[in-house]
């Protein structure tokens, strides 16, 4: 059968999925993408959180080298540490940010039904904000596993409980929330709007819709998200990974700028793009194919 072409930036149609189904499919697609690309994310976390000292060769130098070091020191399963919490996070976060997107866009349309890109971006920012409010605890647990290997926890559920007990619910599970909100809203909104418009541009050039279009549009969205969101991503990752008092967000950023320079905000750019680019390709291909099964 012929399926209608879909883009997250298109107007609501009779083929629009029910809200609960949309959220479930969005979360499922995100878990598929997370499971596929988490070794690159683990490498990104290690690269962003290591401190580089002058005259000392850093332990981690690139995404593939970092994965190799992790496997050598901790075994084949180590790059996949945090996958359970990562799937928790992605199902919640993307289930909300993408699953709610069409409904939110309907709310912000102009009276004539049009959706300018700035209103599309507003809708994406709002659903992303809702998503990270619920997903922050899973983000904390995931990054702790990726940064330390998770040996201090007997399991993922124990990690949630231990962090809440020893560091507090707010100071522990919602650690780095301000930076995480900025990071995730920035990257997520660029991903959602970037994919929508990249796909429309490719289809507008006469290319027939299919997985190749979804891969190209996803890669474009990933590049844009990495370029615009890298500083917030580095700061957010560091704050979540760190235990103890880090001071306010502004003070932390100023200290990074003073002690490590402006380039520290783009630390791990290549692995970050490798992760975000590959994640978006997997996410959108999976989402588009899953959605077609229900239309």
């Amino acid at each position: 059968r012929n399926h209608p072409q879909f883009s997250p930036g298109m107007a609501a149609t009779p083929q629009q999925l029910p809200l609960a189904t949309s959220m479930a499919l969005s979360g499922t697609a995100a878990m598929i993408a997370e499971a596929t690309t988490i070794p690159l994310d683990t490498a990104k976390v290690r690269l962003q959180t290591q401190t580089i000292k002058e005259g000392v060769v850093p332990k981690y130098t690139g995404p593939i080298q970092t994965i190799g070091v992790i496997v050598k020191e901790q075994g084949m399963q180590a790059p996949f540490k945090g996958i359970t919490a990562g799937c928790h996070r992605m199902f919640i976060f993307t289930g909300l940010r993408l699953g709610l997107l069409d409904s939110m866009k309907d709310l912000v349309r102009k009276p004539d039904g049009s959706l300018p890109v700035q209103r599309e971006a507003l809708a994406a920012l709002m659903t992303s904000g809702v998503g990270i409010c619920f997903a922050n605890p899973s983000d904390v647990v995931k990054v702790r596993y990726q940064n330390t290997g998770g040996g201090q926890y007997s399991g993922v559920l124990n990690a949630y409980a231990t962090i809440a007990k020893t560091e507090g619910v707010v100071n522990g599970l919602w650690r780095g929330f301000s930076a995480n909100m900025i990071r995730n809203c920035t990257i997520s909104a660029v991903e959602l709007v970037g994919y929508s418009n990249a796909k429309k541009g490719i289809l507008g050039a006469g290319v027939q819709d299919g997985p190749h279009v979804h891969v190209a549009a996803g890669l474009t969205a990933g590049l844009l998200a990495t370029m615009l969101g890298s500083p917030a991503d580095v700061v957010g990752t560091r704050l979540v990974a760190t235990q103890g008092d880090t001071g306010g967000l502004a003070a932390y950023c100023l200290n990074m700028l003073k002690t490590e320079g402006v380039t520290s905000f783009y630390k791990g750019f290549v692995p970050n793009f490798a992760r975000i680019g590959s994640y978006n390709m997997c996410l959108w291909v999976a989402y588009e194919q899953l959605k077609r099964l229900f239309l």
Side-chain angles (χ1 to χ4, degrees), residues 24-138:
L25 292 188
S26 298
T28 300
M31 288 196 297
I32 292 171
E34 176 75 359
T36 304
T37 63
I38 196 169
L40 289 170
D41 192 43
T42 300
K44 182 209 75 168
V45 169
R46 297 289 180 96
L47 283 159
Q48 288 180 334
T49 55
Q50 75 172 341
T51 301
I52 298 177
K53 298 180 179 179
E54 187 176 352
V56 179
V57 177
K59 181 177 182 178
Y60 306 120
T61 58
I64 304 303
Q65 181 267 353
T66 299
I67 293 173
V69 171
I70 294 170
V71 169
K72 182 178 179 180
E73 293 182 349
Q74 299 175 271
M76 289 294 295
Q77 294 182 337
F80 292 90
K81 290 288 186 181
I83 190 170
T84 302
C87 285
H88 291 172
R89 178 195 185 277
M90 288 302 179
F91 187 83
I92 296 168
F93 180 55
T94 300
L96 290 169
R97 68 166 178 142
L98 180 55
L100 294 173
L101 186 60
D102 282 335
S103 297
M104 188 64 73
K105 285 191 294 188
D106 288 342
L107 291 177
V108 301
R109 291 182 189 278
K110 287 187 171 183
D112 63 3
S114 62
L115 185 69
V117 68
Q118 61 268 30
R119 293 198 176 209
E120 185 180 1
L122 175 62
L125 284 169
M126 289 191 292
T127 62
S128 300
V130 171
I132 197 57
C133 284
F134 288 94
N136 202 86
S138 297

Side-chain angles (χ1 to χ4, degrees), residues 128-130 132-133 136 176-186:
S128 300
V130 171
I132 197 57
C133 284
N136 202 86
F177 177 74
S178 297
N180 233 5
M181 175 69 78
I182 295 170
R183 170 182 65 165
N184 284 281
C185 286
T186 301

Side-chain angles (χ1 to χ4, degrees), residues 42-277:
T42 300
K44 182 209 75 168
V45 169
R46 297 289 180 96
L47 283 159
Q48 288 180 334
T49 55
Q50 75 172 341
T51 301
I52 298 177
K53 298 180 179 179
E54 187 176 352
V56 179
V57 177
K59 181 177 182 178
Y60 306 120
T61 58
I64 304 303
Q65 181 267 353
T66 299
I67 293 173
V69 171
I70 294 170
V71 169
K72 182 178 179 180
E73 293 182 349
Q74 299 175 271
M76 289 294 295
Q77 294 182 337
F80 292 90
K81 290 288 186 181
I83 190 170
T84 302
C87 285
H88 291 172
R89 178 195 185 277
M90 288 302 179
F91 187 83
I92 296 168
F93 180 55
T94 300
L96 290 169
R97 68 166 178 142
L98 180 55
L100 294 173
L101 186 60
D102 282 335
S103 297
M104 188 64 73
K105 285 191 294 188
D106 288 342
L107 291 177
V108 301
R109 291 182 189 278
K110 287 187 171 183
D112 63 3
S114 62
L115 185 69
V117 68
Q118 61 268 30
R119 293 198 176 209
E120 185 180 1
L122 175 62
L125 284 169
M126 289 191 292
T127 62
S128 300
V130 171
I132 197 57
C133 284
F134 288 94
N136 202 86
S138 297
D139 208 19
V140 172
V141 173
K142 173 191 170 185
V143 172
R144 294 284 177 88
Y145 261 88
Q146 291 176 309
N147 199 40
T148 66
Q152 67 272 44
Y153 309 122
S154 61
V156 173
L157 295 180
N158 175 255
Y160 287 109
T162 300
I163 292 171
K165 182 179 179 180
T166 60
E167 301 176 48
V169 174
V170 175
N171 293 330
L173 293 176
W174 268 269
R175 184 177 190 82
F177 177 74
S178 297
N180 233 5
M181 175 69 78
I182 295 170
R183 170 182 65 165
N184 284 281
C185 286
T186 301
I187 293 175
S188 175
V190 175
E191 286 175 344
L192 296 173
V193 177
Y195 178 80
S196 167
N197 287 276
K199 182 183 176 184
K200 285 189 284 188
I202 294 170
L203 295 178
V207 179
Q208 186 175 359
D209 194 11
H212 57 290
V213 172
H214 311 150
V215 167
L219 187 62
T220 302
L223 177 59
L224 292 172
T226 307
M227 292 172 63
L228 295 175
S230 189
D233 185 51
V234 171
V235 173
T237 299
R238 285 188 171 197
L239 285 172
V240 168
T242 304
Q243 299 186 41
D245 185 24
T246 57
L249 177 59
Y252 189 85
C253 291
L254 286 173
N255 185 62
M256 275 184 63
L257 182 63
K258 180 180 178 180
T259 59
E260 301 179 60
V262 69
T263 56
S264 65
F265 292 94
Y266 286 89
K267 183 179 287 186
F269 182 86
V270 171
N272 202 13
F273 172 59
R275 156 64 173 179
I276 294 177

